[in-house]
Amino acid sequence: MDRDTLAERIVRAPFHRWLGLEVEKADATGVELVMPWRGEIVSRADPPIMHGGVVAALIDTAGLYAVLAAGGSAIGTAYMHVDYHRPVVSGTVRVRARALKLGRRISVAEAMVYGEGPEPLASGRGGYFPP
Amino acid sequence: MDRDTLAERIVRAPFHRWLGLEVEKADATGVELVMPWRGEIVSRADPPIMHGGVVAALIDTAGLYAVLAAGGSAIGTAYMHVDYHRPVVSGTVRVRARALKLGRRISVAEAMVYGEGPEPLASGRGGYFPP
Amino acid sequence: MDRDTLAERIVRAPFHRWLGLEVEKADATGVELVMPWRGEIVSRADPPIMHGGVVAALIDTAGLYAVLAAGGSAIGTAYMHVDYHRPVVSGTVRVRARALKLGRRISVAEAMVYGEGPEPLASGRGGYFPP
Amino acid sequence: MDRDTLAERIVRAPFHRWLGLEVEKADATGVELVMPWRGEIVSRADPPIMHGGVVAALIDTAGLYAVLAAGGSAIGTAYMHVDYHRPVVSGTVRVRARALKLGRRISVAEAMVYGEGPEPLASGRGGYFPP
């Protein structure tokens, strides 16, 4: 699937709309999603730090879209692993993902989350079921 | 920490308030959190299926609270693994967690997510840093 | 599969024979495998500490056998997660596993590793493909 | 640590010697370990397929060495995740790893396992404790 198709598809999910997720880039080599900050996504308010579950949502979603962009098929998540490297603080958040394996029974992708700086704030991987 | 302390603490996090998370039970053997359904948490609207990131948020949060309830200390998540067993559909969602290891450098807890029925819909584990 | 069938099957794998793995218990509620110590399995010789890869082999194998004992089918591992709680030191090592989900596309089991004492030394989970 | 230091260190572990692990490359950007085939490492004899636990041992070890080569400190594994993409069949096996995060409390590395071909046969990541 190309960027336009994925951009149209991502806003169909109510949780993606609530997060404000957008598809910045998508091709066979990987995808990049961006998300604006919003006050409700934090686990601590002062300083605001993104909840680990929201970080996981970014990795889960980007991984599935990376499988789709690489020509694989994926309809749901089988499992996910997330490593939290540094707190995700306010500002635009980016997540980049690429497919590691397109499979008949499961496809695997890895993803990295970035803030304003060059260092990854979190990274992880997910396994996705075909329809 | 006992149930009342955790119940007071859980609503301090804006994302927990948005999810409507409540502490149903908490002692040294484990914790149980409950969450009402809300329309924005789904990845597909018809039938409504809870987004994998929201499921991950439940496991992440319940695991950390299980560490606190068991007398450990935990201030942030180091890593998390989630297995998605069945779609989480509308209705009250429960997550039960228990500490597996209280450590000086990391504590580990496991968690299971339930809907109305007896079978787990998702399960997983997290590692948590002390302050 | 019952205990005798699994006991016969486990020794077919050369790596299981090298590890000396035996099926102590196996029924629908779970399996227990035991392993004697041997000098080559350590990452540090003094004091001897079991290599993390051998611990992972125990979790991987016990999880797959738990799926088989519970009536599921499993022919290979899709993924595995291991948490290392304490060093595994010399003596007989036990691993107990139980199926969490028997699936058409993937089955999931969790496992815990024990030494001589009551506390788990490691724990984890695996996802297994049917044939 | 440089390649020579790691090459000297890897053979100190009895399990590494049994596996025949060698350090092919090691610098701040990553490490590469190679392993010859041997008959005892298989879970199925015909055709010979490497046991998932041995694959996990490669990922565990390469990840820890990648942390050391990048200037981090690591003395033991806190946790590990492995994805099995394709069967690892006979021949020389390679594992490449790189550090994702050097931390005061935990360091994280990712690793990929290769056989004779260009496609990864397995991949994963580990978290490592400093002394």
Side-chain angles (χ1 to χ4, degrees):
Chain A
M1 286 190 196
D2 63 13
R3 200 206 71 93
D4 290 354
T5 310
L6 290 173
E8 188 194 339
R9 185 184 172 122
I10 203 168
V11 294
R12 280 193 225 148
F15 191 58
H16 295 166
R17 287 203 301 274
W18 185 78
L19 290 172
L21 274 180
E22 285 183 21
V23 180
E24 186 102 341
K25 197 204 92 171
D27 60 34
T29 67
V31 301
E32 181 174 328
L33 311 181
V34 291
M35 196 188 104
W37 197 264
R38 66 177 292 168
E40 294 93 336
I41 59 175
V42 302
S43 56
R44 269 179 276 167
D46 187 23
I49 291 176
M50 187 185 281
H51 194 284
V54 179
V55 175
L58 295 177
I59 284 174
D60 177 24
T61 305
L64 190 143
Y65 277 57
V67 170
L68 296 176
S73 71
I75 199 169
T77 309
Y79 63 93
M80 175 169 47
H81 175 88
V82 181
D83 287 297
Y84 298 90
H85 303 313
R86 297 164 185 87
V88 181
V89 296
S90 66
T92 299
V93 179
R94 262 160 224 286
V95 52
R96 292 186 192 120
R98 71 181 180 110
L100 292 175
K101 155 80 176 171
L102 302 181
R104 189 173 46 84
R105 296 195 286 191
I106 217 157
S107 291
V108 180
E110 65 175 8
M112 306 195 88
V113 174
Y114 296 89
E116 309 286 341
E119 299 211 304
L121 307 180
S123 62
R125 39 177 59 212
Y128 304 94
F129 285 127
Chain B
M1 287 188 195
D2 63 12
R3 199 207 71 93
D4 289 354
T5 310
L6 290 174
E8 189 194 336
R9 185 186 173 121
I10 203 168
V11 294
R12 282 195 224 147
F15 191 57
H16 295 166
R17 286 203 302 274
W18 185 78
L19 290 173
L21 276 180
E22 286 182 21
V23 180
E24 186 103 341
K25 196 203 94 172
D27 60 34
T29 67
V31 301
E32 181 172 328
L33 311 181
V34 291
M35 195 187 104
W37 197 264
R38 66 177 291 168
E40 295 93 336
I41 60 175
V42 302
S43 57
R44 268 178 278 165
D46 188 24
I49 291 176
M50 187 183 281
H51 194 282
V54 179
V55 175
L58 295 176
I59 284 173
D60 177 24
T61 305
L64 190 144
Y65 277 57
V67 170
L68 296 175
S73 71
I75 199 169
T77 309
Y79 62 91
M80 176 170 46
H81 176 89
V82 181
D83 286 298
Y84 298 91
H85 303 313
R86 297 166 186 85
V88 182
V89 295
S90 65
T92 300
V93 179
R94 261 159 225 286
V95 53
R96 292 184 191 121
R98 70 182 181 111
L100 292 175
K101 154 80 176 171
L102 301 181
R104 189 174 47 84
R105 298 197 285 191
I106 217 155
S107 291
V108 180
E110 65 174 10
M112 305 196 88
V113 174
Y114 297 89
E116 310 286 341
E119 300 211 305
L121 307 181
S123 61
R125 39 179 57 211
Y128 303 94
F129 285 127
Chain C
M1 286 190 197
D2 62 13
R3 200 206 70 93
D4 291 353
T5 310
L6 290 174
E8 188 194 339
R9 186 185 172 121
I10 204 168
V11 295
R12 280 193 225 148
F15 192 57
H16 295 166
R17 286 203 302 272
W18 185 78
L19 290 173
L21 276 180
E22 286 184 21
V23 180
E24 185 102 343
K25 195 204 94 173
D27 60 35
T29 67
V31 301
E32 181 174 327
L33 312 182
V34 291
M35 195 188 103
W37 197 264
R38 65 178 292 169
E40 294 93 335
I41 60 175
V42 303
S43 57
R44 269 179 277 168
D46 187 24
I49 291 176
M50 188 185 280
H51 194 284
V54 179
V55 175
L58 294 177
I59 285 173
D60 176 25
T61 305
L64 189 144
Y65 277 57
V67 170
L68 296 176
S73 70
I75 199 169
T77 310
Y79 62 92
M80 175 170 46
H81 175 88
V82 181
D83 286 299
Y84 297 92
H85 303 314
R86 295 164 187 87
V88 181
V89 295
S90 65
T92 299
V93 179
R94 260 159 226 286
V95 53
R96 293 186 191 120
R98 71 182 180 110
L100 293 174
K101 155 80 176 170
L102 301 181
R104 189 173 47 84
R105 296 196 287 191
I106 215 155
S107 291
V108 179
E110 64 175 10
M112 306 194 88
V113 174
Y114 296 90
E116 310 286 342
E119 300 211 305
L121 307 181
S123 60
R125 39 178 58 211
Y128 304 94
F129 285 127
Chain D
M1 286 191 196
D2 62 12
R3 199 207 71 93
D4 290 354
T5 309
L6 290 173
E8 189 194 337
R9 186 185 173 122
I10 204 168
V11 293
R12 281 195 225 146
F15 192 57
H16 295 166
R17 285 203 302 273
W18 185 77
L19 290 173
L21 275 180
E22 286 184 20
V23 180
E24 185 104 341
K25 197 204 93 171
D27 60 34
T29 67
V31 302
E32 181 173 328
L33 311 181
V34 291
M35 195 187 104
W37 196 264
R38 65 178 291 168
E40 295 92 335
I41 61 176
V42 302
S43 57
R44 267 178 279 165
D46 186 24
I49 290 176
M50 188 185 280
H51 193 283
V54 179
V55 175
L58 294 177
I59 284 174
D60 177 24
T61 305
L64 190 144
Y65 277 58
V67 170
L68 296 175
S73 70
I75 199 169
T77 309
Y79 62 92
M80 175 170 48
H81 176 88
V82 181
D83 286 298
Y84 297 91
H85 303 314
R86 296 165 186 85
V88 181
V89 295
S90 66
T92 299
V93 179
R94 263 159 223 286
V95 52
R96 293 185 191 121
R98 71 182 180 111
L100 292 175
K101 154 80 175 169
L102 301 181
R104 189 174 47 85
R105 297 196 286 191
I106 216 156
S107 291
V108 179
E110 65 175 10
M112 305 195 89
V113 173
Y114 296 89
E116 310 285 342
E119 301 212 303
L121 306 181
S123 61
R125 38 178 57 210
Y128 303 94
F129 286 126

